[in-house]
Amino acid sequence: IRAVFTGQAAGNFRPLELTHEYVDLKDLLVNDTAPYRTLWMPSSDKFVYSSDIHPLLTSDSLWKNASISALASIIENAEFLNTVQNAGVRYIIVPQDLEKRIFLSDYKYDQIQRDSLIDAVTKTGLRRLPEFQELAVFENPTYEFKIVIPEYVEKQEYWSRIGLGLSVISLILFFGLALLGGKKISTQ
């Protein structure tokens, strides 16, 4: 038990130090009020920041079940930047993998996989932010965040406007008839 309190324990009892770059990225996102998404490739670390203004995507949400080697070939394709653009992604981020659970080869951490993914994103021409050394953050300067309203929501909005209009008309008629009815009673 002494090893837990002295910091010598391994495994789940070992304290994990969060690097300042995750905090710096959170501060960058919090201070930016423009809406956009962040894309974490291949997946997000558990220390990531997301909000309603800056929701996060993972590569699995854009390319279903793509392995890291498949992602590298997807990134090399010209369609990659179009997909990122259409998704409203401003930052593409390759996590540090502090817990060594994302970039695995034969159940062991493999730095080569992470490096190959970073190299593939670098070759696209996206600008890597220099203030992040360990956390690879690439900026898409041509992002455009589009909000697409589903068709069923548009139908609901249409019918709710009609319902609101009918409610206003019936209130006017109700109060109008109440006023006319009140005048007839008072004149008798």
Side-chain angles (χ1 to χ4, degrees), residues 172-188:
I172 292 171
L173 289 175
F174 175 75
F175 285 120
L177 290 175
L179 287 175
L180 288 176
K183 287 182 181 179
K184 288 182 182 178
I185 294 173
S186 63
T187 55
Q188 291 177 354

Side-chain angles (χ1 to χ4, degrees), residues 3 30 38 43 45 72 80 84 109 114 119 125 152 156 158 166 170:
V30 166
T38 58
S43 63
D45 240 339
F80 169 75
V84 168
Y109 178 74
R114 183 175 186 269
D119 289 340
Y152 68 90
Q156 289 174 343
Y158 171 77
L166 290 174
S170 49

Side-chain angles (χ1 to χ4, degrees), residues 3-4 7-15:
V4 172
Q8 297 170 346
N12 289 338
F13 296 108
R14 178 181 48 89

Side-chain angles (χ1 to χ4, degrees), residues 131-161:
E131 58 265 26
F132 299 100
Q133 299 299 317
E134 295 297 321
L135 188 64
V137 180
F138 296 89
E139 183 178 18
N140 175 15
T142 61
Y143 78 96
E144 186 177 332
F145 190 74
K146 301 174 193 171
I147 298 175
V148 179
I149 298 174
E151 186 178 331
Y152 68 90
V153 173
E154 288 178 350
K155 286 181 183 179
Q156 289 174 343
E157 286 178 349
Y158 171 77
W159 288 109
S160 67
R161 282 190 221 109

Side-chain angles (χ1 to χ4, degrees), residues 20-31 38 40 48-49 91 93 129 132 135 137:
H20 66 88
E21 290 190 2
Y22 281 93
V23 177
D24 293 344
L25 179 63
K26 178 206 56 109
D27 292 341
L28 175 80
L29 296 174
V30 166
N31 293 328
T38 58
W40 291 79
V48 302
Y49 171 79
Y91 294 112
I93 306 161
L129 298 182
F132 299 100
L135 188 64
V137 180

Side-chain angles (χ1 to χ4, degrees), residues 39-44 57-61 66-68 71 93-95 102-103 117:
L39 174 62
W40 291 79
M41 296 184 74
S43 63
S44 64
L57 293 174
T58 60
S59 58
D60 195 45
S61 59
S67 65
I68 294 173
L71 280 175
I93 306 161
V94 179
I102 299 173
F103 300 101
L117 195 59

